Amino acid sequence: MLTLRYKAETPIPVEVEGLTPSAVRTMPLAEIERFEIFHGNRKRPLAEFFDVSGDPSDARLEFEGSLSGVHWIGAQMSEGEVHIRGDAGRHVGSEMTGGTIHVHGNASDWVGGEMHGGLIHVHGHAGHLVGSAYRGSRLGMTGGTILVDGSVGNEVGLTLRRGLVAIGGNCGDFVGANMIAGTVLVFGESGNRPAAGMRRGTVGLLGGHPPALLVTFRKTCVCKPPVLRLALAHLQSLNFLVPDDCWDADYGVYNGDRVTVGRGEILVRES
Amino acid sequence: MSSGFFKVAGGTVYDPVHGINGERRDIWIRDGKIVDAPPAPDVRPDKTIDASGLVVMPGGVDMHCHIAGPKVNSARKMRPEDKRKAEKVVRTAGTRSGTMGSVPSTFATGYKYAGMGYTTAFDAAIPPLAARHVHEEFEDTPCIDKGFFVLMGNNHFVMQSIQRKEPERLRSFIAWLLGAAKGYTPKIVNPGGVEVWKQLPSGNVHGLDENVEHFGVTARQIIEQVARAVEELRLPHSVHLHCNNLGMPGNWRTTLETMKTFGDSRGHLSHIQFHSYGGGDADETTFNSKAKELVEYVDAHPNLTVDVGQVLFGETTTMTADGPLGYYLSNAFKSKWFSSDTEMESGCGIAPIEYKNTSLVHSLQWAIGLEWYLLAKDPWRVVMSTDHPNGGSFLAYPQIIQLLMDRTYRHDMLKQVHPAVLERSTLGDLTREYSLYEICIITRSGPARILGLPNKGHLGPGADADITIYTPNDDKTKMFEMPRAVIKSGVLIVDQGEIREPLTGKLLYVAPEYDRGIESDVADWFEKYYSIRFRNYQVPLEYLHGAEEIPTT
Amino acid sequence: MSTPVATTKPAEPGTTLIEDSTCTFCGCVCDDIDITVKDNHIVDAKRACVLGKAWFYNHHADDRPSCLIEGQPASVEAGVERAARILTDAKYPIIYGLSDTTSEAQRVAVGIGDTIGGTVDTTTSVCHGPSGMAFQGVGEVTCTLGEIANRGDLIIFWGGNPAESHPRHFTKYSLMPKGMFVPNGRKDRTAVGVDVRKTKTAKAMDLFFQIKPRADFEALWTLRALAKGIDIDPEQVKSDTGIELARWQDLMDRMKAAKFGVILFGMGLTMTRGKHLNSEALLCLVRDMNAYTRFVAKPMRGHGNVTGADNVVTWQTGYPFGVNMSRGYPRFNPGEYTTSDTLARGEADAALLIACDPMANFSQPARERLMAIPYIALDPKDTPTTRAATVAFTTATYGINTPGTVYRMDDVPIFLRPAFPSSHPSDFDVLSAIQRRVTELKK
């Protein structure tokens, strides 16, 4: 395990793109300490911002401290484990293809941006655009799992192509907007206009006090969807807290968004 | 004591204009021009490049690309995702940063063209209302000389003059408009079709003789009359035409008819590959190549020239003044779509596209482009282009060169594309390989001649000292991707891939004479219909920094 | 267009007449203003609207110092030196504003951003940035203003108040002009307003839809559904939008029957809940409509050259606003590199502000950060932003004192005819000097 203890205090963004378990796995500590990161527009060695200790060969990185000003942690990683013992900044796990990231605090915007595989678990809150596409992209997240125990902002799963996103707390507006496929489950309350422009896939609003859905969604039935139980079981196996009353509840199934091909569904808990 | 001379010594020179085919020669440069060797043998050049064993050609000339102006810039704006993962152009002490993808930013465009040994490029389609925008972007596109073609094929004044059967009025207007915009030649895109698009949903013109409502003209009339006016004005370059029915199965008949429409007038048909399709009824499964038939016609008619518009596999962005075409493509590819209609003048459509070698249509498009080069008898009249970025990036030119020079490479690629290409085109049977001499023609000497640029595309005295030096390599892609050195206006601007001196480059334009009486006519027309004042429309020469007028012949 | 040409009287002695001059107050960028200048003061601005007149009349030569360093008069050279040092010392410098200056000056500003490895952003990000983002998502179907004048027969104004923000828009472009295909002008057109309150614009409309606040998205979605013939619940439509389904259906019928429909939209969409997704809904609706008839959308741009700022930043960097160049190449991410964010989060450590006033209109955390960092401000006016600047340059006013190029709201480039000279340097002059110096310092 390689420990990176954050020792800087700077409001200027620190960007650690490229610092992944694979990248440092075979590096001697001295070389890791010289690893170039960005502090605003200055290239600096890692050691100026982090005390580095331990052994990276097991592909496990532990960040310690309040890293809300440190961005791109775990971006593009393909294997290994990253733990952030504190808050994290923007773009956590952006475009990652494998491995696991745990944020034992809050994360900022763009958690798992255009992610392809692996697992991100934010134990606190996160910002906007969790598991979403970057501006202009035809596709968003294409695989993997994102779990957020707390609440998040707007546009969760924007243009989601494949994968699973679960939000333990509340989410903001436009959850699952322009979704192509995949699953987003929100266990708290949701903001407005969920699944606007959805093509296929599933958005689950499990909080019990759902917002008004868009007029282009049509209720087709009330049931206990088996696919939901499977998803909940899967989430539980990942140590995500699934409230007891979700398992056997009744769900209204709303098909839409009919303004597009409209073969998606919003599941709204009714009991 | 400086002699003022710069010498490129002992290179293997290709200069088809002067019939020089790989001969060991010296080239002397002074004051930005190629000059005769100094008569006195003891004159020493201030600077010498030892080019022994290296290939020396004039700088490349791209006569049809889309690199500046509102259409190109809208495509840049619309596609941040195209750049995010593309090559980064990093700032250096002497050069600006930029972005790539299919529509590079301006500084990057200049550096990349120069980096590939190109020293002149013409934007193919500009609405004159936006001329100032182009001039501004051109100023930020370093290292190359530039010009642009002025859209006229759906211009209301042009159509009215034709309908009124007033060829003098038309001719004066064209001359006035070229001078007002500081453009290079009239460009016609889908004549009449874009006007119909503005009038009707999915509106378009499907044949040369369809009437354009309200204006009472046909595509045939527009092409004929403008081509004739260009001949009468003795413009250095002919009218430049994007035919009706681009991309449609069976459009080869429209293309052939169009070629006949020119009569004796010169005519340049752009990205001819997109206009060479057999088949019919808008049914893609009937798609096949009619390149052979069209090549035969062009070979037999020396007044006609073409650029190919080669398709390469991969993602790119289509951008065209052909408004209805943009709509069609975005529906076909279910992609985002930008369209803008410019009052009185033209339209524009932009849609991302991906050409796949698993697709029958795309594979045929790729093959048809190559057929054009390989079947044409006269390389002086078939110019290399990708219609950048429509068929692919200009950065793909080295790959095209390799496909033409190396038939094994070509046949290997042919094996990877859709198998129906073998039945529906002749590419599988073609064994021709281009020589360096011929490559030099289709990438510099030919386009320079077609454009009527007397000082480009050759290495004789009086030419602009635009010279590219290549290291010979059997891998032609590598050879042409990274010249050893590039000289522009007598200045070494690229040295082993690095930009040394990003000079600004000139704007090349024409300003033909015209009957001044037309101006009050045009001013009235502005008063009635334009949203900008007549007085504010024209680009004065003082607005430009470094411009050269190319005289009429 | 159909606005009659003024018969030009010879100018009175002691005055100069400049015809076809350009007003840059709003995105209309009217280029038909005839200006009379007397003693370095504009005394008449023929055809200018009330906003244009205020713009032209309130500019006079003044003798304020061209440069203040920490509130004390200084030479421009000293100011440039200090500015260059602030910018090159900074690790996260931002450049912001740019919408009220020429494209020539904008080009230099982006160059400075490149040299110092900073972040370049424009007032687009607090205005129609969301529309730019929507355009990146779905594209846009649009046209130049003359097309609207010549063809537009159904004109919808959504979430804006052009009667007050763009006073000549109706006359010059969108409602009154007798165009080629609309020869009877206003009589050939139907004007529709959609807004949350009845403004002066509403009074000029044939039909007005007063929708529930923050329900623009639902209204647009209703129209999208109606365009596609999708069955929707009338009660829900009424409760979502405040307007009966039948009225929306009637509007959709008119939209489909139009020959050339136009939707001009404003901050009511971009700056209310939903933002870029509101704009996206509108752009999607317009794109959908093109299956039935010709239809275009146009964001109503505010400042004179904000469109130019978008264009310049795009052609030089590839991205329209919110462009970070810390790494030596451009990166784009609205919400991350946009100025209200880089300031409010306390990330910027220096700023170069050109023709903008964030001290007057940004959020409290953003203003606090700005107060805490060294910054340079260029402005013809004395503002809260210039007063708190470390280095403040009073610059000549574009279009009044300086020539240059601007871009109208529809991307048409227009050249400025200045009325009288100023003793102050232009933005272009000051920025060029700063650019030269930062380039030297960064070597």
Side-chain angles (χ1 to χ4, degrees):
Chain A
M1 177 173 96
L2 184 76
T3 304
L4 300 135
R5 195 176 60 77
Y6 192 53
K7 59 185 182 178
E9 266 201 55
T10 171
I12 287 165
V14 173
E15 294 178 313
V16 297
E17 236 168 317
L19 183 68
T20 60
S22 325
V24 298
R25 197 166 192 169
T26 54
M27 275 188 195
L29 273 189
E31 195 181 334
I32 297 176
E33 286 178 336
R34 289 193 304 272
F35 190 93
E36 265 184 355
I37 63 174
F38 272 88
H39 181 216
N41 59 15
R42 308 289 204 257
K43 267 191 224 173
R44 304 307 304 158
L46 186 68
E48 208 173 283
F49 292 82
F50 292 88
D51 285 329
V52 183
S53 61
D55 170 9
S57 60
D58 65 350
R60 187 179 161 119
L61 305 182
E62 291 258 331
F63 288 85
E64 289 174 4
S66 178
L67 288 88
S68 55
V70 181
H71 311 291
W72 304 97
I73 300 174
Q76 303 194 339
M77 64 186 263
S78 55
E79 53 161 1
E81 252 182 77
V82 172
H83 288 260
I84 300 144
R85 309 249 171 227
D87 292 338
R90 302 185 284 267
H91 305 290
V92 170
S94 169
E95 296 186 62
M96 65 191 279
T97 54
T100 308
I101 302 178
H102 284 267
V103 182
H104 303 275
N106 302 325
S108 185
D109 302 329
W110 293 288
V111 168
E114 293 192 16
M115 180 178 184
H116 304 296
L119 168 70
I120 303 175
H121 194 154
V122 177
H123 297 268
H125 306 296
H128 297 303
L129 296 151
V130 170
S132 79
Y134 289 107
R135 294 299 164 201
S137 289
R138 206 168 48 87
L139 301 176
M141 180 172 168
T142 63
T145 305
I146 302 178
L147 311 171
V148 181
D149 293 345
S151 294
V152 301
N154 300 333
E155 295 181 90
V156 178
L158 176 73
T159 325
L160 176 65
R161 173 64 186 87
R162 191 184 294 114
L164 171 63
V165 180
I167 310 295
N170 305 329
C171 75
D173 298 338
F174 287 106
V175 57
N178 295 336
M179 192 175 191
I180 299 170
T183 307
V184 180
L185 301 175
V186 180
F187 290 86
E189 303 308 336
S190 157
N192 67 17
R193 301 150 182 172
M198 164 191 251
R199 300 177 65 80
R200 291 184 170 77
T202 304
V203 168
L205 302 177
L206 284 57
H209 299 98
L213 302 188
L214 290 167
V215 75
T216 43
F217 281 85
R218 170 182 287 166
K219 189 170 190 176
T220 52
C221 65
V222 179
C223 62
K224 298 181 198 292
V227 69
L228 185 60
R229 288 188 71 91
L230 290 171
L232 296 178
H234 178 62
L235 286 175
Q236 223 171 36
S237 75
L238 297 173
N239 294 323
F240 182 85
L241 185 65
V242 177
D244 290 332
D245 54 8
C246 289
W247 297 91
D248 274 316
D250 288 319
Y251 291 85
V253 180
Y254 295 78
N255 283 135
D257 185 339
R258 287 179 298 139
V259 99
T260 76
V261 78
R263 313 265 276 251
E265 60 189 7
I266 303 180
L267 307 176
V268 178
R269 207 183 93 208
E270 290 199 355
S271 65
Chain B
M1 176 66 195
S2 151
S3 68
F5 284 100
F6 176 4
K7 183 180 177 193
V8 178
T12 310
V13 172
Y14 291 82
D15 184 2
V17 167
H18 297 102
I20 301 171
N21 185 358
E23 294 165 31
R24 193 186 156 87
R25 297 264 177 128
D26 293 336
I27 297 176
W28 290 81
I29 300 162
R30 191 165 209 244
D31 295 330
K33 295 284 204 180
I34 295 178
V35 296
D36 288 310
D42 60 341
V43 172
R44 294 216 152 298
D46 297 336
K47 184 184 169 90
T48 303
I49 288 183
D50 178 6
S52 5
L54 303 178
V55 164
V56 178
M57 292 190 181
V61 176
D62 191 346
M63 73 176 290
H64 187 111
C65 57
H66 300 274
I67 55 173
K71 172 175 86 253
V72 173
N73 218 27
S74 295
R76 289 182 185 120
K77 261 184 235 168
M78 190 170 85
R79 300 206 66 191
E81 79 285 2
D82 186 36
K83 298 176 252 279
R84 215 164 50 80
K85 297 183 221 194
E87 178 197 338
K88 315 284 184 249
V89 177
V90 181
R91 134 187 115 248
T92 69
T95 62
R96 293 284 299 268
S97 70
T99 46
M100 294 301 299
S102 55
V103 198
S105 54
T106 50
F107 298 105
T109 300
Y111 302 147
K112 288 295 182 185
Y113 262 112
M116 244 182 18
Y118 271 71
T119 50
T120 304
F122 274 77
D123 189 288
I126 302 295
L129 185 57
R132 277 185 203 274
H133 180 162
V134 176
H135 291 299
E136 287 210 289
E137 283 202 34
F138 272 177
E139 244 181 73
D140 284 346
T141 307
C143 300
I144 55 178
D145 289 345
K146 299 147 290 241
F148 63 88
F149 309 145
V150 178
L151 288 162
M152 297 198 196
N154 290 279
N155 182 296
H156 288 187
F157 199 100
V158 166
M159 291 193 288
Q160 275 164 8
S161 303
I162 292 171
Q163 193 260 335
R164 283 155 61 150
K165 297 188 171 29
E166 293 180 358
E168 299 82 27
R169 189 170 183 264
L170 173 66
R171 192 176 65 237
S172 289
F173 177 73
I174 290 173
W176 170 82
L177 189 56
L178 287 172
K182 299 291 179 287
Y184 199 73
T185 205
K187 173 71 186 287
I188 297 178
V189 170
N190 187 7
V194 180
E195 175 56 35
V196 178
W197 157 255
K198 293 178 180 183
Q199 294 177 15
L200 296 171
S202 302
N204 204 347
V205 140
H206 304 286
L208 286 170
D209 299 303
E210 271 179 37
N211 182 49
V212 177
E213 283 295 323
H214 188 89
F215 291 91
V217 295
T218 65
R220 190 189 297 276
Q221 288 167 337
I222 296 170
I223 296 166
E224 229 168 39
Q225 300 274 327
V226 175
R228 185 175 320 149
V230 169
E231 297 307 275
E232 287 167 359
L233 289 170
R234 302 160 71 89
L235 297 182
H237 179 39
S238 65
V239 66
H240 198 109
L241 171 66
H242 156 146
C243 298
N244 307 99
N245 283 333
L246 185 148
M248 296 296 127
N251 65 9
W252 78 284
R253 290 195 185 78
T254 308
T255 309
L256 191 55
E257 269 308 293
T258 304
M259 289 176 176
K260 294 179 182 165
T261 304
F262 281 102
D264 291 325
S265 301
R266 293 171 301 162
H268 181 91
L269 288 90
S270 54
H271 41 68
I272 195 70
Q273 173 275 123
F274 287 110
H275 302 274
S276 308
Y277 305 149
D281 288 332
D283 178 1
E284 284 188 348
T285 61
T286 64
F287 225 73
N288 63 76
S289 165
K290 289 293 185 190
K292 189 155 181 292
E293 288 79 353
L294 294 173
V295 170
E296 268 165 25
Y297 191 89
V298 171
D299 274 340
H301 292 84
N303 58 312
L304 298 176
T305 58
V306 304
D307 66 87
V308 171
Q310 181 67 36
V311 155
L312 287 310
F313 300 112
E315 285 188 36
T316 188
T317 306
T318 60
M319 56 173 72
T320 172
D322 190 342
L325 174 63
Y327 184 46
Y328 173 82
L329 290 172
S330 80
N331 281 338
F333 292 96
K334 304 204 183 335
S335 58
K336 47 190 168 180
W337 170 47
F338 179 80
S339 167
S340 182
D341 298 326
T342 301
E343 65 210 60
M344 320 309 294
E345 298 181 359
S346 78
C348 137
I350 303 173
I353 200 175
E354 187 180 352
Y355 293 107
K356 298 185 176 162
N357 63 0
T358 50
S359 152
L360 165 60
V361 171
H362 300 164
S363 300
L364 266 172
Q365 289 176 313
W366 171 84
I368 290 168
L370 292 171
E371 277 188 293
W372 266 95
Y373 298 108
L374 297 168
L375 289 170
K377 292 203 171 73
D378 182 2
W380 286 93
R381 295 191 285 119
V382 175
V383 175
M384 178 181 296
S385 76
T386 57
D387 187 20
H388 164 81
N390 287 285
S393 168
F394 63 85
L395 292 172
Y397 295 163
Q399 191 192 35
I400 301 174
I401 291 173
Q402 185 166 12
L403 284 166
L404 297 178
M405 293 187 73
D406 180 347
R407 80 173 148 256
T408 310
Y409 179 71
R410 185 166 75 232
H411 284 158
D412 283 346
M413 202 164 167
L414 185 51
K415 288 185 198 132
Q416 316 254 336
V417 310
H418 196 285
V421 164
L422 291 169
E423 302 126 37
R424 300 194 188 202
S425 78
T426 66
L427 186 61
D429 305 326
L430 301 177
T431 57
R432 178 178 173 192
E433 287 183 329
Y434 264 60
S435 64
L436 273 180
Y437 190 79
E438 288 170 319
I439 293 293
C440 187
I441 293 172
I442 68 173
T443 59
R444 36 268 282 165
S445 311
R449 174 180 286 178
I450 294 169
L451 287 169
L453 293 167
N455 302 327
K456 303 282 189 206
H458 70 93
L459 297 171
D464 291 344
D466 296 345
I467 302 165
T468 310
I469 301 169
Y470 296 102
T471 307
N473 192 328
D474 286 337
D475 182 333
K476 294 293 179 271
T477 304
K478 284 206 172 68
M479 174 176 166
F480 282 90
E481 258 175 359
M482 180 82 86
R484 169 69 182 70
V486 182
I487 297 165
K488 174 80 192 73
S489 305
V491 176
L492 179 68
I493 58 164
V494 179
D495 191 4
Q496 301 204 100
E498 282 194 20
I499 308 283
R500 293 259 176 262
E501 273 245 24
L503 42 80
T504 301
K506 297 185 295 256
L507 186 277
L508 305 171
Y509 70 99
V510 299
E513 301 267 307
Y514 60 92
D515 172 8
R516 300 269 149 178
I518 194 81
E519 284 179 7
S520 62
D521 234 10
V522 177
D524 286 341
W525 176 58
F526 264 75
E527 197 59 43
K528 290 234 278 282
Y529 298 121
Y530 260 99
S531 66
I532 180 178
R533 301 290 284 165
F534 174 67
R535 194 191 312 226
N536 290 334
Y537 186 80
Q538 293 137 102
V539 180
L541 203 50
E542 308 79 68
Y543 189 73
L544 309 175
H545 304 247
E548 179 183 321
E549 182 186 338
I550 304 297
T552 54
T553 55
Chain C
M1 283 295 321
S2 59
T3 45
V5 182
T7 47
T8 324
K9 322 190 285 264
E12 285 169 35
T15 69
T16 321
L17 175 66
I18 300 160
E19 292 172 298
D20 293 334
S21 188
T22 301
C23 172
T24 55
F25 189 82
C26 81
C28 283
V29 187
C30 298
D31 71 326
D32 61 349
I33 314 295
D34 294 338
I35 303 226
T36 305
V37 184
K38 184 177 179 154
D39 297 330
N40 284 350
H41 195 106
I42 295 172
V43 296
D44 189 40
K46 196 175 302 295
R47 282 185 226 102
C49 69
V50 56
L51 300 177
K53 282 188 159 65
W55 169 252
F56 284 116
Y57 295 164
N58 291 342
H59 279 97
H60 4 255
D62 63 71
D63 47 21
R64 280 184 290 146
S66 296
C67 179
L68 294 169
I69 300 181
E70 289 173 41
Q72 298 305 311
S75 69
V76 168
E77 292 70 30
V80 166
E81 181 64 25
R82 184 69 180 271
R85 297 222 170 252
I86 289 171
L87 294 172
T88 50
D89 285 344
K91 299 188 179 66
Y92 208 80
I94 61 172
I95 297 179
Y96 177 69
L98 290 174
S99 52
D100 274 314
T101 190
T102 61
S103 59
E104 289 81 357
Q106 291 164 346
R107 287 157 63 193
V108 179
V110 181
I112 294 172
D114 203 1
T115 306
I116 64 177
T119 302
V120 175
D121 187 30
T122 74
T123 65
T124 291
S125 66
V126 297
C127 197
H128 266 291
S131 305
M133 289 157 64
F135 160 50
Q136 290 169 336
V138 303
E140 182 177 289
V141 184
T142 192
C143 63
T144 63
L145 291 170
E147 279 292 275
I148 300 176
N150 278 305
R151 300 182 199 264
D153 60 345
L154 176 70
I155 320 289
I156 304 174
F157 296 93
W158 198 305
N161 184 11
E164 297 195 84
S165 61
H166 297 72
R168 290 185 77 206
H169 203 279
F170 294 159
T171 322
K172 260 188 124 244
Y173 306 126
S174 50
L175 289 186
M176 309 310 291
K178 291 182 159 62
M180 187 178 290
F181 295 89
V182 266
N184 299 308
R186 183 69 179 87
K187 294 199 211 56
D188 283 340
R189 291 187 173 96
T190 304
V192 180
V194 183
D195 206 344
V196 302
R197 58 203 167 96
K198 272 200 160 73
T199 60
K200 194 163 159 207
T201 297
K203 298 192 179 61
M205 300 293 106
D206 298 313
L207 298 169
F208 182 66
F209 290 73
Q210 186 163 355
I211 57 173
K212 263 184 165 167
R214 292 174 296 283
D216 297 89
F217 189 90
E218 282 72 18
L220 290 161
W221 230 240
T222 299
L223 285 171
R224 287 193 74 192
L226 292 176
K228 295 188 184 222
I230 296 170
D231 208 8
I232 50 180
D233 175 19
E235 273 175 43
Q236 187 177 352
V237 169
K238 170 78 183 183
S239 117
D240 279 351
T241 67
I243 308 268
E244 291 78 15
L245 178 60
R247 282 198 72 204
W248 289 121
Q249 181 66 61
D250 176 67
L251 177 58
M252 177 48 59
D253 293 341
R254 290 169 189 264
M255 287 168 74
K256 283 191 177 173
K259 290 228 180 62
F260 196 95
V262 185
I263 310 187
L264 295 140
F265 63 102
M267 305 290 97
L269 276 187
T270 65
M271 289 293 136
T272 58
R273 187 169 173 182
K275 293 203 169 181
H276 53 282
L277 288 157
N278 292 338
S279 298
E280 194 176 292
L282 188 146
L283 294 178
C284 281
L285 171 63
V286 167
R287 184 197 58 203
D288 294 348
M289 289 306 298
N290 277 278
Y292 308 103
T293 188
R294 286 307 325 277
F295 230 96
V296 297
K298 221 126 204 90
M300 292 285 281
R301 306 308 301 271
H303 295 267
N305 202 18
V306 65
T307 308
D310 283 356
N311 282 333
V312 167
V313 179
T314 300
W315 81 57
Q316 291 203 343
T317 72
Y319 305 112
F321 62 94
V323 183
N324 169 280
M325 291 184 276
S326 297
R327 305 246 187 122
Y329 56 84
R331 296 185 295 169
F332 168 72
N333 203 12
E336 183 167 20
Y337 305 130
T338 33
T339 307
S340 44
D341 305 290
T342 54
L343 281 177
R345 287 192 305 252
E347 292 173 345
D349 62 347
L352 172 59
L353 305 173
I354 299 130
C356 58
D357 197 7
M359 276 308 199
N361 45 45
F362 269 32
S363 68
Q364 173 125 346
R367 281 182 280 127
E368 277 169 10
R369 183 62 180 172
L370 198 51
M371 284 299 293
I373 60 177
Y375 72 88
I376 304 113
L378 276 72
D379 206 312
K381 307 180 294 300
D382 172 48
T383 67
T385 299
T386 60
R387 273 175 244 134
T390 311
V391 184
F393 293 96
T394 306
T395 49
T397 305
Y398 80 131
I400 309 260
N401 309 127
T402 73
T405 310
V406 299
Y407 289 77
R408 200 169 65 184
M409 60 191 292
D410 59 346
D411 289 306
V412 171
I414 298 179
F415 201 66
L416 303 172
R417 293 176 199 282
F420 57 89
S422 165
S423 57
H424 299 302
S426 65
D427 292 326
F428 178 79
D429 295 332
V430 174
L431 291 170
S432 299
I434 295 176
Q435 166 69 308
R436 279 190 293 275
R437 193 69 188 113
V438 299
T439 305
E440 282 164 12
L441 290 172
K442 276 285 183 179
K443 278 213 162 76

